[in-house]
Amino acid sequence: MQTARTVPASTVVNLRDLGGIALGRDRRVRQGVLFRSGQLSELDPARDRAVAALGIRTVVDLRTADERQWAPDRLPDRARLFVADVLGDHPGVAPARLRSLLADPVEAERTLGGGRAEELFAETYRKMVLSPGAAAAYRAFLETVADPAARPVLFHCTAGKDRTGWAAAVLLMILGAPRATVRTDFLAVNPAVRAAFAPQVTKFLDGGGDPAVAAAIIEVRPRYLDVALDAMDERWGGLDGYVRNGLRMPDAVLERLRDGLVVRG
C-alpha cells in the first residue's frame, strides 16, 4: 500500500508528494501537483534544489496567527501564500504549541502526564472535524487545491502531522482512497517527525521529561485518526455528509478535485 513519496529537501521538514497513492480501481493520485510538509520557516529557496524543482505555485499555511508570527514561511520562488487557519477558534491547543510543550519537562508532567497528552491531542482532532473555523479552513484548502491555476500546491502546519494529516486524509477520501490507505499514509509521517524533533526531545528527556509524554506530542497515532473519523461519522454520517454539510463543498469543486488529481494506471 503506497504512501506519499518523500522529497529529499534539505531545508523543509517532512516534505512529501501525495502523487502515486493508490485510490483503487487502477486509479492513483496525480504526481507532482500536491505536496505536504512541516513549516517553511527554514526554507532556503536558493540552495534547496529539491524544493525549487517542484515548481510550487501556492503554499497553504494551516497554522495559527501566533505560529505564523513566530516562524513565518519563506516561500519558494514565485509562489503565493494562502492562509487557512484550522485552529483559529482554539489557538492554544496542543498542535499549535509543539515546541513549547517540550520546553518544560516539569510543566509537561503536571499538565500532560498520566495519559493526558494523548487525550489532549485526541480532543484536538475532534475540534478539527467539528469546529466551524476548522471547517472553513479545510473548505478553503480544498477549493485552492481544486483550482488548476493554483497547482502545484504545498500545504503544511508546524510539523506536517496533525492539521496537515487530516487535510490529506479528507482529500484522499474525496478522491476515492479507502480508509486503510488513508490510515497507512497518515501514520507514515512518524519517522520524519521524530527525526525533526529529536533535538527538542533529547533535551526534554535529559531534563527529566517522560518519554511517553514526548511520544504522544510528536507522533501521530491510530487513535488520533480514529477520533476524527468517528466524529465525522457521528455528526454527519460519513464522508459525504461531512463534505457536503460540514465543509459545505459545492459539487463543482469536488468534480474539479477528482478531474485534476486522479489519474488511471
Side-chain angles (χ1 to χ4, degrees):
M1 192 177 296
Q2 186 168 354
T3 60
R5 177 181 62 86
T6 298
V7 177
S10 59
T11 62
V12 178
V13 171
N14 196 16
L15 178 58
R16 303 161 72 221
D17 181 355
L18 274 69
I21 294 178
L23 301 170
R25 293 182 295 178
D26 298 322
R27 296 177 304 130
R28 297 183 178 276
V29 179
R30 186 183 300 276
Q31 291 185 321
V33 296
L34 190 59
F35 301 88
R36 56 178 292 181
S37 74
Q39 65 192 35
L40 305 186
S41 57
E42 301 301 318
L43 172 64
D44 187 336
R47 70 180 179 89
D48 202 332
R49 295 182 179 179
V51 176
L54 302 179
I56 300 297
R57 290 182 179 176
T58 308
V59 171
V60 179
D61 190 341
L62 305 174
R63 299 177 300 164
T64 64
D66 283 347
E67 291 172 285
R68 299 194 305 273
Q69 180 178 354
W70 295 330
D73 275 349
R74 302 184 66 185
L75 299 179
D77 290 342
R78 293 181 293 280
R80 71 181 182 97
L81 178 64
F82 185 87
V83 173
D85 182 351
V86 172
L87 296 175
D89 292 349
H90 310 278
V93 297
R97 298 187 294 121
L98 295 179
R99 286 178 172 80
S100 65
L101 292 173
L102 291 170
D104 188 338
V106 174
E107 179 65 13
E109 178 60 30
R110 186 182 71 81
T111 59
L112 302 176
R116 282 173 289 179
E118 181 168 319
E119 294 299 325
L120 190 64
F121 272 83
E123 180 56 30
T124 299
Y125 273 76
R126 283 185 57 83
K127 288 184 172 70
M128 289 194 294
V129 176
L130 301 177
S131 159
Y138 284 123
R139 179 174 63 250
F141 157 69
L142 292 168
E143 289 172 342
T144 300
V145 174
D147 180 1
R151 300 193 294 257
V153 173
L154 168 62
F155 62 102
H156 76 89
C157 51
T158 294
K161 68 183 184 77
D162 299 307
R163 288 161 286 185
T164 300
W166 182 242
V170 172
L171 182 53
L172 289 173
M173 288 188 289
I174 288 172
L175 298 182
R179 290 193 180 188
T181 298
V182 171
R183 182 179 305 279
T184 298
D185 187 68
F186 177 78
L187 296 172
V189 302
N190 276 331
V193 177
R194 290 188 194 108
F197 280 83
Q200 291 94 333
V201 170
T202 297
K203 186 175 180 180
F204 179 81
L205 298 180
D206 288 346
D210 184 348
V213 170
I217 291 171
I218 66 166
E219 293 176 355
V220 290
R221 295 183 167 178
R223 184 186 173 206
Y224 297 164
L225 181 60
D226 287 341
V227 166
L229 292 172
D230 288 348
M232 180 179 75
D233 292 343
E234 291 164 7
R235 175 67 64 88
W236 288 287
L239 177 69
D240 286 347
Y242 172 60
V243 169
R244 297 182 188 282
N245 302 317
L247 302 184
R248 302 186 184 278
M249 296 295 299
D251 287 342
V253 174
L254 299 175
E255 290 173 9
R256 286 200 298 272
L257 282 171
R258 296 178 181 120
D259 289 346
L261 298 178
V262 178
V263 294
R264 295 198 173 274

